[in-house]
Amino acid sequence: MNQKEFSELRRRFRPDKSAIHRIYGCFVNGNKEIVSYLDESMGRMPQEESAQYLGLLKKTLSGAPGRQLIDIVFSTQQVAQGEEHKRLSALRDSQLKDAQAREAFYQTVIQSLELEGNYLILLAHDAYDVPRRGKDDRLQEDSDTVFSYLVCCVCPVKDSKVELGYFPGENEFHSRAGQVVAPPELGFLFPAFDGRAANLYNAVLYTRKADALHQEFIDAVFHTEPPMSAAEQREAFQSALGDGLGEACTVEVVQAIHEQLLDRINRHRESKDPEPLEITAGDVSAILRDCGVDEEAVQGFQTQCRTLLGEGVLNPANLIDPRRFELKTEAASVTVAPERSYLVELRELDGRKYLLVPADGGVTVNGLPLGTAPAHPA
């Protein structure tokens, strides 16, 4: 799915747009016990309450593809015979009305999920009359097809602070505390909305933390090969550079890679292209050659890349930190804005290596501006 397709679905998660008629779920305590079930009509609850439920479900379609939104791919055999795919399909085909199928799903999640404390599992079914797109790319009133799908989220339930509250019946103020539902930790969409139609071979996993995919959840619910998290991809990419290039992995080479990948990320953002930005090991190899890295080292990087990251395409935002450029030593670290990474140099002076940063604009220490008076001679 691309960003345009995620946005199209997200716009439905409003009380005046949604075709979600019921909300299902269960409240699970820290001992993996179901405390209570949820089975409520959205039309009978206050609009503010229904908007809160829809807001939680909508969150599972938010984030960046490849980071918070992860493609889950089923094999042909799974779609034909797999128990996990059958379980999800049974929920979808019954529009969640099958209580036994819901209970089996709840138990699958509860027995597998490693999540501390209490949490709420929410499930909803929606049937979206997908409007046709005209030649001008605008949505038309008539519909081509109906997209039937499930959306699920798992939300931590946390204790709120003890606060004074007004009790109208008693006309008094008393201290009160309760338990509140936090934003989803993870969730999923099934099936995927690819090409604005159902793709039964794919689902989309949502994770609040890009470096925590809850692989035990993926294995139990989807039984597919868990994808690498953003943090794992970055670590593997750094290992491929370090091990593959060896002594050729210099500050200048890393700066060039960081700058060019950041430039691609920024240009892709400005273009508003809904398709995810992708690069290959060959693209990075071209950057290395432009830096003067010899072919043997480039081939070493490519070999390491294939071993650690496979043959597929890569998301540049998972390989670098777009917000900062950091260099560390045993004693200190230097962090600069990514677009100014060229300012940092690694030099050897009198037999010792130093990180050098220009200080033309002045220096502050813990916010205190330093003077420029020359030091007194000894």
Side-chain angles (χ1 to χ4, degrees), residues 58-131:
K58 178 182 178 180
K59 190 69 178 175
T60 63
L61 302 176
S62 304
R67 290 183 58 78
Q68 290 84 15
L69 298 169
I70 311 295
D71 279 333
I72 299 294
V73 182
F74 295 103
S75 67
T76 301
Q77 184 177 2
Q78 280 183 295
V79 175
Q81 302 175 349
E83 289 300 319
E84 292 75 20
H85 198 277
K86 283 183 180 178
R87 183 191 305 122
L88 294 174
S89 296
L91 290 169
R92 172 180 178 256
D93 295 343
S94 71
Q95 299 182 4
L96 295 175
K97 296 175 183 178
D98 186 334
Q100 289 185 337
R102 294 200 309 270
E103 182 65 26
F105 174 78
Y106 296 151
Q107 293 301 328
T108 298
V109 174
I110 292 168
Q111 297 307 316
S112 64
L113 184 60
E114 297 175 7
L115 191 64
E116 292 185 4
N118 305 333
Y119 57 87
L120 176 66
I121 302 174
L122 290 179
L123 272 174
H125 173 270
D126 185 23
Y128 175 31
D129 286 319
V130 183

Side-chain angles (χ1 to χ4, degrees), residues 5-18:
E5 290 161 341
F6 281 116
S7 297
E8 186 173 345
L9 288 186
R10 281 199 299 269
R11 286 193 290 270
R12 295 187 53 73
F13 285 78
R14 291 167 38 188
D16 60 330
K17 295 284 187 181
S18 173

